[in-house]
Amino acid sequence: MPVNARRVHHGGMAAISETLVPDRRLPRFEWALVDGSFRHVDDARISVHAHALSYGTGTFEGLRATWNEMAQELYLLEPSAHYERMHRSAKALGLTLPYATEELVALTIELLRRNEVRSDVYVRPLLLLAGEVLAVRMHEVETRFSIAVSPFPARYVDPAGVHCLVSSWRRSPDSTIPLRAKIIGSYVGPALAKTEAVRAGFDEALLLTVDGSLAEATTSNVFIRRGDAWVTPGVDQDILEGITRREAIELIGEELGEAVVERSVDRSELYVCDEALLCGTAVGIVPLVAVDRRPVGHGAPGERTQHLIDALAAIARRDTDRHLDWTTPVWR
Ligand code: PMP
Protein backbone atom coordinates (compact mmCIF):
# COMPACT_ATOMS: atom_id res chain seq x y z
CA MET A 1 0.00 0.00 0.00
CA PRO A 2 1.40 3.42 -0.87
CA VAL A 3 2.71 5.29 2.13
CA ASN A 4 0.17 8.02 1.52
CA ALA A 5 -2.85 5.79 1.31
CA ARG A 6 -4.96 3.88 3.77
CA ARG A 7 -7.77 1.38 3.59
CA VAL A 8 -11.29 2.48 4.38
CA HIS A 9 -13.86 -0.15 5.33
CA HIS A 10 -17.37 0.36 4.07
CA GLY A 11 -19.67 -1.18 6.62
CA GLY A 12 -22.86 -3.12 5.95
CA MET A 13 -24.50 -6.25 7.27
CA ALA A 14 -23.10 -8.60 4.68
CA ALA A 15 -20.23 -7.05 2.85
CA ILE A 16 -17.27 -5.08 3.97
CA SER A 17 -15.43 -3.62 1.03
CA GLU A 18 -12.14 -1.80 1.15
CA THR A 19 -11.23 1.28 -0.81
CA LEU A 20 -7.80 2.78 -1.08
CA VAL A 21 -8.04 6.52 -0.46
CA PRO A 22 -5.27 9.08 -0.41
CA ASP A 23 -4.24 9.59 3.19
CA ARG A 24 -5.15 13.14 4.08
CA ARG A 25 -4.03 12.78 7.64
CA LEU A 26 -1.47 15.27 8.81
CA PRO A 27 2.04 13.90 8.47
CA ARG A 28 3.37 13.81 11.99
CA PHE A 29 6.15 12.59 14.16
CA GLU A 30 5.69 9.37 16.12
CA TRP A 31 5.83 10.58 19.69
CA ALA A 32 3.49 12.91 21.49
CA LEU A 33 3.31 13.99 25.11
CA VAL A 34 -0.09 13.03 26.52
CA ASP A 35 -1.13 13.59 30.12
CA GLY A 36 2.44 13.50 31.36
CA SER A 37 3.86 10.58 29.40
CA PHE A 38 5.39 10.15 25.97
CA ARG A 39 3.17 7.95 23.80
CA HIS A 40 2.96 6.88 20.20
CA VAL A 41 0.77 9.43 18.47
CA ASP A 42 -1.66 6.71 17.30
CA ASP A 43 -2.27 5.82 20.96
CA ALA A 44 -3.10 9.42 21.80
CA ARG A 45 -6.85 9.27 21.37
CA ILE A 46 -9.84 11.03 22.81
CA SER A 47 -13.48 10.03 23.06
CA VAL A 48 -16.12 11.08 20.52
CA HIS A 49 -18.00 12.22 23.62
CA ALA A 50 -15.21 14.61 24.65
CA HIS A 51 -16.62 17.97 25.66
CA ALA A 52 -14.24 19.93 23.38
CA LEU A 53 -15.41 18.10 20.26
CA SER A 54 -18.98 19.32 20.74
CA TYR A 55 -18.33 22.72 22.23
CA GLY A 56 -14.87 23.87 21.12
CA THR A 57 -13.79 24.15 24.73
CA GLY A 58 -10.05 24.23 25.04
CA THR A 59 -7.00 26.21 24.12
CA PHE A 60 -3.92 25.60 22.02
CA GLU A 61 -0.62 27.12 20.97
CA GLY A 62 1.48 26.88 17.84
CA LEU A 63 5.26 27.02 18.13
CA ARG A 64 7.84 26.83 15.45
CA ALA A 65 11.27 25.19 15.51
CA THR A 66 13.75 25.87 12.70
CA TRP A 67 16.58 23.54 11.64
CA ASN A 68 19.99 25.05 10.95
CA GLU A 69 21.84 22.62 8.66
CA MET A 70 25.23 24.34 9.06
CA ALA A 71 25.06 24.31 12.85
CA GLN A 72 23.25 20.93 12.92
CA GLU A 73 20.94 22.44 15.49
CA LEU A 74 17.20 22.91 15.91
CA TYR A 75 16.00 26.22 17.40
CA LEU A 76 12.66 26.83 19.08
CA LEU A 77 11.44 30.38 18.52
CA GLU A 78 10.27 32.11 21.70
CA PRO A 79 8.98 28.95 23.44
CA SER A 80 8.55 30.71 26.81
CA ALA A 81 6.44 33.48 25.25
CA HIS A 82 4.14 30.87 23.68
CA TYR A 83 3.74 28.92 26.92
CA GLU A 84 3.18 32.09 28.91
CA ARG A 85 0.41 33.02 26.49
CA MET A 86 -1.01 29.52 26.90
CA HIS A 87 -1.07 30.03 30.67
CA ARG A 88 -2.99 33.26 30.09
CA SER A 89 -5.37 31.51 27.65
CA ALA A 90 -6.06 28.80 30.24
CA LYS A 91 -6.60 31.44 32.92
CA ALA A 92 -9.10 33.30 30.73
CA LEU A 93 -11.06 30.04 30.45
CA GLY A 94 -10.83 29.39 34.19
CA LEU A 95 -8.48 26.45 33.60
CA THR A 96 -4.89 25.74 34.64
CA LEU A 97 -2.04 24.17 32.74
CA PRO A 98 -0.46 21.19 34.50
CA TYR A 99 3.10 22.57 34.15
CA ALA A 100 5.04 25.78 34.71
CA THR A 101 6.46 27.55 31.65
CA GLU A 102 10.04 26.27 32.21
CA GLU A 103 8.74 22.69 32.53
CA LEU A 104 6.76 23.06 29.30
CA VAL A 105 9.85 24.27 27.45
CA ALA A 106 11.88 21.35 28.86
CA LEU A 107 9.15 18.84 27.91
CA THR A 108 9.01 20.29 24.39
CA ILE A 109 12.76 19.90 24.01
CA GLU A 110 12.52 16.32 25.29
CA LEU A 111 9.68 15.60 22.82
CA LEU A 112 11.66 17.01 19.87
CA ARG A 113 14.66 14.89 20.88
CA ARG A 114 12.58 11.72 21.22
CA ASN A 115 11.23 12.37 17.74
CA GLU A 116 14.81 12.93 16.50
CA VAL A 117 13.71 16.12 14.82
CA ARG A 118 16.25 17.54 12.37
CA SER A 119 13.96 19.63 10.17
CA ASP A 120 11.58 22.58 10.46
CA VAL A 121 8.61 21.62 12.63
CA TYR A 122 5.43 22.94 14.12
CA VAL A 123 4.69 22.13 17.76
CA ARG A 124 1.06 21.96 18.88
CA PRO A 125 0.30 22.04 22.65
CA LEU A 126 -3.37 21.47 23.43
CA LEU A 127 -5.40 21.78 26.62
CA LEU A 128 -8.81 20.22 26.06
CA LEU A 129 -11.93 19.81 28.10
CA ALA A 130 -11.88 16.11 27.35
CA GLY A 131 -14.34 14.72 29.89
CA GLU A 132 -17.47 13.00 28.61
CA VAL A 133 -19.87 15.66 29.77
CA LEU A 134 -22.97 16.62 27.83
CA ALA A 135 -23.44 20.06 29.34
CA VAL A 136 -22.38 23.48 28.13
CA ARG A 137 -20.20 24.75 30.94
CA MET A 138 -16.53 25.21 31.78
CA HIS A 139 -16.48 23.89 35.34
CA GLU A 140 -16.12 20.30 36.50
CA VAL A 141 -15.03 18.82 33.20
CA GLU A 142 -11.84 16.74 33.09
CA THR A 143 -9.00 18.35 31.11
CA ARG A 144 -6.25 16.69 29.10
CA PHE A 145 -2.99 18.22 28.02
CA SER A 146 -0.93 17.10 25.05
CA ILE A 147 1.89 18.27 22.79
CA ALA A 148 2.27 16.93 19.26
CA VAL A 149 4.80 17.66 16.51
CA SER A 150 4.28 17.87 12.76
CA PRO A 151 6.57 18.78 9.86
CA PHE A 152 6.43 22.42 8.92
CA PRO A 153 4.68 22.83 5.55
CA ALA A 154 7.39 23.57 2.97
CA ARG A 155 5.50 26.46 1.45
CA TYR A 156 2.86 27.63 3.87
CA VAL A 157 2.29 30.90 2.02
CA ASP A 158 3.51 32.25 -1.29
CA PRO A 159 6.67 34.25 -0.52
CA ALA A 160 5.82 36.44 -3.55
CA GLY A 161 3.03 37.89 -1.45
CA VAL A 162 -0.58 37.26 -0.56
CA HIS A 163 -3.75 38.62 -2.09
CA CYS A 164 -6.38 39.31 0.57
CA LEU A 165 -10.13 39.66 0.57
CA VAL A 166 -11.80 41.73 3.26
CA SER A 167 -14.16 39.06 4.55
CA SER A 168 -17.89 39.45 5.01
CA TRP A 169 -17.32 37.66 8.33
CA ARG A 170 -16.37 39.92 11.22
CA ARG A 171 -13.94 39.11 13.99
CA SER A 172 -16.04 38.16 17.02
CA PRO A 173 -15.49 40.80 19.70
CA ASP A 174 -13.91 40.25 23.11
CA SER A 175 -17.37 40.66 24.61
CA THR A 176 -18.41 37.36 23.01
CA ILE A 177 -15.29 35.21 23.54
CA PRO A 178 -11.99 36.06 25.27
CA LEU A 179 -9.72 37.19 22.45
CA ARG A 180 -6.47 37.14 24.36
CA ALA A 181 -6.88 33.41 24.55
CA LYS A 182 -6.29 31.03 21.65
CA ILE A 183 -9.58 29.20 22.11
CA ILE A 184 -10.35 26.29 19.83
CA GLY A 185 -13.97 27.33 19.15
CA SER A 186 -13.00 30.87 18.20
CA TYR A 187 -11.40 29.61 14.97
CA VAL A 188 -14.71 28.80 13.27
CA GLY A 189 -15.21 32.41 12.13
CA PRO A 190 -11.68 32.69 10.67
CA ALA A 191 -12.15 29.29 9.00
CA LEU A 192 -15.34 30.52 7.29
CA ALA A 193 -13.53 33.71 6.25
CA LYS A 194 -10.58 31.77 4.81
CA THR A 195 -12.87 29.52 2.76
CA GLU A 196 -14.83 32.52 1.51
CA ALA A 197 -11.57 34.14 0.39
CA VAL A 198 -10.06 31.05 -1.23
CA ARG A 199 -13.29 30.17 -3.06
CA ALA A 200 -13.33 33.72 -4.45
CA GLY A 201 -9.77 33.35 -5.78
CA PHE A 202 -7.81 35.06 -2.97
CA ASP A 203 -5.10 33.63 -0.74
CA GLU A 204 -6.23 34.91 2.61
CA ALA A 205 -8.98 36.83 4.43
CA LEU A 206 -8.80 40.00 6.48
CA LEU A 207 -11.37 40.30 9.26
CA LEU A 208 -12.83 43.59 10.38
CA THR A 209 -14.12 44.28 13.88
CA VAL A 210 -17.90 44.59 14.28
CA ASP A 211 -17.30 48.36 14.14
CA GLY A 212 -15.70 48.00 10.72
CA SER A 213 -12.03 48.68 11.43
CA LEU A 214 -9.27 46.22 10.63
CA ALA A 215 -8.68 43.45 13.18
CA GLU A 216 -6.37 40.84 11.67
CA ALA A 217 -6.04 38.03 9.12
CA THR A 218 -7.24 34.50 9.93
CA THR A 219 -4.09 33.44 11.79
CA SER A 220 -1.81 36.45 11.57
CA ASN A 221 -1.58 40.11 12.50
CA VAL A 222 -1.44 42.93 9.95
CA PHE A 223 0.90 45.92 9.53
CA ILE A 224 0.59 48.66 6.93
CA ARG A 225 3.04 51.45 6.08
CA ARG A 226 1.82 54.93 5.20
CA GLY A 227 4.67 57.27 4.39
CA ASP A 228 7.31 56.99 7.13
CA ALA A 229 5.08 55.36 9.70
CA TRP A 230 3.98 51.78 10.15
CA VAL A 231 0.54 51.23 11.61
CA THR A 232 -0.93 48.10 13.20
CA PRO A 233 -4.30 47.63 14.91
CA GLY A 234 -3.93 48.15 18.66
CA VAL A 235 -4.68 45.52 21.31
CA ASP A 236 -8.13 47.09 21.74
CA GLN A 237 -9.03 46.15 18.13
CA ASP A 238 -10.10 42.54 18.81
CA ILE A 239 -6.79 41.04 17.76
CA LEU A 240 -4.86 38.12 19.15
CA GLU A 241 -1.78 39.65 20.75
CA GLY A 242 0.66 37.92 18.42
CA ILE A 243 4.20 37.08 19.43
CA THR A 244 5.41 37.73 15.87
CA ARG A 245 3.58 41.08 16.02
CA ARG A 246 5.70 42.04 19.02
CA GLU A 247 8.84 40.83 17.21
CA ALA A 248 7.87 42.81 14.09
CA ILE A 249 7.42 46.00 16.14
CA GLU A 250 10.93 45.53 17.56
CA LEU A 251 12.47 44.70 14.17
CA ILE A 252 10.85 47.66 12.41
CA GLY A 253 12.56 49.92 14.95
CA GLU A 254 15.91 48.15 14.94
CA GLU A 255 16.26 47.14 11.30
CA LEU A 256 14.47 50.00 9.55
CA GLY A 257 14.76 52.76 12.15
CA GLU A 258 11.02 53.38 11.74
CA ALA A 259 8.22 53.69 14.25
CA VAL A 260 5.05 51.65 14.63
CA VAL A 261 1.83 53.33 15.69
CA GLU A 262 -0.78 51.08 17.33
CA ARG A 263 -4.24 52.42 16.53
CA SER A 264 -7.45 51.52 14.74
CA VAL A 265 -7.04 51.09 10.98
CA ASP A 266 -9.84 51.97 8.56
CA ARG A 267 -10.66 49.59 5.72
CA SER A 268 -9.84 52.23 3.12
CA GLU A 269 -6.33 52.65 4.57
CA LEU A 270 -5.66 49.15 3.24
CA TYR A 271 -6.41 50.48 -0.25
CA VAL A 272 -4.09 53.48 -0.08
CA CYS A 273 -1.13 52.27 2.00
CA ASP A 274 2.40 52.03 0.55
CA GLU A 275 3.31 48.63 1.92
CA ALA A 276 1.67 45.93 4.04
CA LEU A 277 2.57 42.64 5.66
CA LEU A 278 1.09 39.76 7.62
CA CYS A 279 2.92 38.15 10.52
CA GLY A 280 2.39 35.07 12.65
CA THR A 281 4.19 31.94 13.79
CA ALA A 282 3.04 29.88 10.81
CA VAL A 283 3.44 32.52 8.09
CA GLY A 284 6.49 34.25 9.56
CA ILE A 285 6.45 37.66 7.90
CA VAL A 286 4.90 37.72 4.44
CA PRO A 287 4.19 40.62 2.05
CA LEU A 288 0.56 41.58 1.57
CA VAL A 289 0.48 42.67 -2.07
CA ALA A 290 -3.23 43.26 -2.82
CA VAL A 291 -6.44 43.88 -0.90
CA ASP A 292 -9.84 43.43 -2.58
CA ARG A 293 -7.95 43.37 -5.93
CA ARG A 294 -6.36 46.76 -5.31
CA PRO A 295 -2.56 46.56 -5.41
CA VAL A 296 -0.75 47.55 -2.23
CA GLY A 297 1.84 50.14 -3.33
CA HIS A 298 3.00 48.86 -6.72
CA GLY A 299 1.58 45.40 -6.06
CA ALA A 300 4.98 43.80 -5.42
CA PRO A 301 6.64 42.89 -2.11
CA GLY A 302 8.10 46.01 -0.48
CA GLU A 303 11.84 46.35 0.13
CA ARG A 304 11.35 47.02 3.81
CA THR A 305 9.12 43.97 4.20
CA GLN A 306 11.75 41.80 2.49
CA HIS A 307 14.35 43.14 4.90
CA LEU A 308 12.15 42.21 7.88
CA ILE A 309 11.48 38.72 6.44
CA ASP A 310 15.22 38.10 6.10
CA ALA A 311 15.96 39.49 9.58
CA LEU A 312 13.36 37.28 11.29
CA ALA A 313 14.40 34.20 9.29
CA ALA A 314 18.05 34.72 10.31
CA ILE A 315 17.09 35.12 13.98
CA ALA A 316 14.86 31.99 13.90
CA ARG A 317 17.74 29.94 12.40
CA ARG A 318 20.40 31.68 14.55
CA ASP A 319 22.29 32.81 11.48
CA THR A 320 22.97 36.05 13.33
CA ASP A 321 24.07 37.17 16.78
CA ARG A 322 21.01 39.33 17.16
CA HIS A 323 18.23 38.38 19.55
CA LEU A 324 19.84 35.12 20.63
CA ASP A 325 17.40 35.28 23.54
CA TRP A 326 14.50 34.64 21.12
CA THR A 327 15.72 31.14 20.30
CA THR A 328 16.32 28.01 22.39
CA PRO A 329 18.54 25.20 21.04
CA VAL A 330 17.09 21.69 21.23
CA TRP A 331 20.11 19.41 20.77
CA ARG A 332 22.93 21.26 22.53
N1 PMP B 1 -4.06 36.07 15.13
C1 PMP B 1 -4.59 34.83 15.24
C2 PMP B 1 -6.07 34.68 15.28
C3 PMP B 1 -3.76 33.70 15.31
O1 PMP B 1 -4.27 32.48 15.39
C4 PMP B 1 -2.35 33.89 15.26
C5 PMP B 1 -1.44 32.69 15.31
N2 PMP B 1 -1.15 32.31 16.63
C6 PMP B 1 -1.85 35.19 15.18
C7 PMP B 1 -2.73 36.26 15.11
C8 PMP B 1 -0.36 35.44 15.21
O2 PMP B 1 0.14 35.15 16.49
P1 PMP B 1 1.62 34.60 16.71
O3 PMP B 1 2.54 35.58 16.06
O4 PMP B 1 1.78 34.59 18.19
O5 PMP B 1 1.70 33.28 16.09
Side-chain angles (χ1 to χ4, degrees):
M1 184 157 75
V3 175
N4 278 336
R6 74 195 149 101
R7 291 186 201 287
V8 172
H9 298 272
H10 299 285
M13 293 294 280
I16 292 184
S17 64
E18 274 189 346
T19 316
L20 220 49
V21 296
D23 193 344
R24 293 180 187 277
R25 289 180 301 182
L26 190 70
R28 60 261 208 261
F29 286 83
E30 281 202 337
W31 296 100
L33 177 84
V34 185
D35 299 329
S37 58
F38 293 98
R39 290 196 215 164
H40 194 278
V41 74
D42 288 338
D43 298 330
R45 296 174 182 278
I46 74 164
S47 162
V48 289
H49 293 297
H51 196 271
L53 287 185
S54 287
Y55 307 123
T57 42
T59 176
F60 68 100
E61 265 302 325
L63 292 76
R64 181 175 194 157
T66 308
W67 176 245
N68 183 323
E69 184 65 31
M70 281 280 280
Q72 291 287 298
E73 182 54 282
L74 182 68
Y75 295 104
L76 275 162
L77 185 60
E78 302 232 35
S80 299
H82 282 277
Y83 284 123
E84 273 158 27
R85 183 169 65 191
M86 196 171 189
H87 273 287
R88 292 194 296 274
S89 293
K91 188 176 179 192
L93 290 177
L95 307 173
T96 41
L97 283 179
Y99 306 98
T101 295
E102 313 79 68
E103 292 174 308
L104 288 164
V105 175
L107 285 166
T108 304
I109 290 173
E110 172 66 17
L111 179 65
L112 292 168
R113 287 183 178 176
R114 281 194 187 224
N115 279 304
E116 307 212 11
V117 176
R118 289 183 171 79
S119 57
D120 294 356
V121 289
Y122 192 67
V123 179
R124 170 52 56 89
L126 196 57
L127 178 71
L128 290 181
L129 261 65
E132 298 194 359
V133 173
L134 282 178
V136 177
R137 64 169 198 245
M138 294 302 296
H139 61 282
E140 291 171 16
V141 185
E142 179 203 342
T143 57
R144 293 185 69 180
F145 177 76
S146 59
I147 310 178
V149 184
S150 57
F152 206 82
R155 206 163 174 230
Y156 192 78
V157 285
D158 189 342
V162 294
H163 292 243
C164 282
L165 170 75
V166 174
S167 178
S168 64
W169 293 99
R170 299 289 169 102
R171 172 86 168 145
S172 53
D174 191 68
S175 53
T176 62
I177 192 160
L179 288 185
R180 270 155 204 85
K182 272 178 78 73
I183 296 173
I184 298 169
S186 71
Y187 281 81
V188 175
L192 287 166
K194 177 81 174 194
T195 294
E196 178 186 42
V198 170
R199 294 246 161 96
F202 296 83
D203 303 310
E204 173 59 326
L206 297 175
L207 288 103
L208 305 179
T209 65
V210 284
D211 295 333
S213 55
L214 174 66
E216 59 183 2
T218 58
T219 57
S220 56
N221 295 109
V222 187
F223 286 67
I224 63 170
R225 187 175 63 79
R226 301 196 61 193
D228 292 338
W230 289 83
V231 186
T232 192
V235 294
D236 56 352
Q237 298 297 305
D238 293 336
I239 61 167
L240 181 80
E241 296 176 6
I243 291 160
T244 323
R245 174 183 181 274
R246 197 247 300 137
E247 294 165 352
I249 292 173
E250 286 189 48
L251 292 177
I252 286 170
E254 292 167 12
E255 298 286 328
L256 308 177
E258 292 176 336
V260 180
V261 182
E262 296 181 53
R263 63 161 171 80
S264 68
V265 175
D266 285 345
R267 177 178 187 159
S268 61
E269 291 190 88
L270 293 162
Y271 300 156
V272 300
C273 62
D274 303 305
E275 198 163 335
L277 61 85
L278 304 182
C279 65
T281 299
V283 298
I285 294 176
V286 67
L288 170 48
V289 294
V291 178
D292 292 342
R293 305 207 189 280
R294 292 150 176 91
V296 170
H298 300 295
E303 254 177 56
R304 290 170 174 82
T305 300
Q306 193 55 53
H307 191 86
L308 296 170
I309 292 169
D310 296 342
L312 183 59
I315 291 167
R317 216 182 310 111
R318 266 213 202 172
D319 273 345
T320 166
D321 288 341
R322 313 183 70 158
H323 289 295
L324 295 179
D325 56 325
W326 287 4
T327 48
T328 302
V330 167
W331 287 103
R332 205 165 297 157

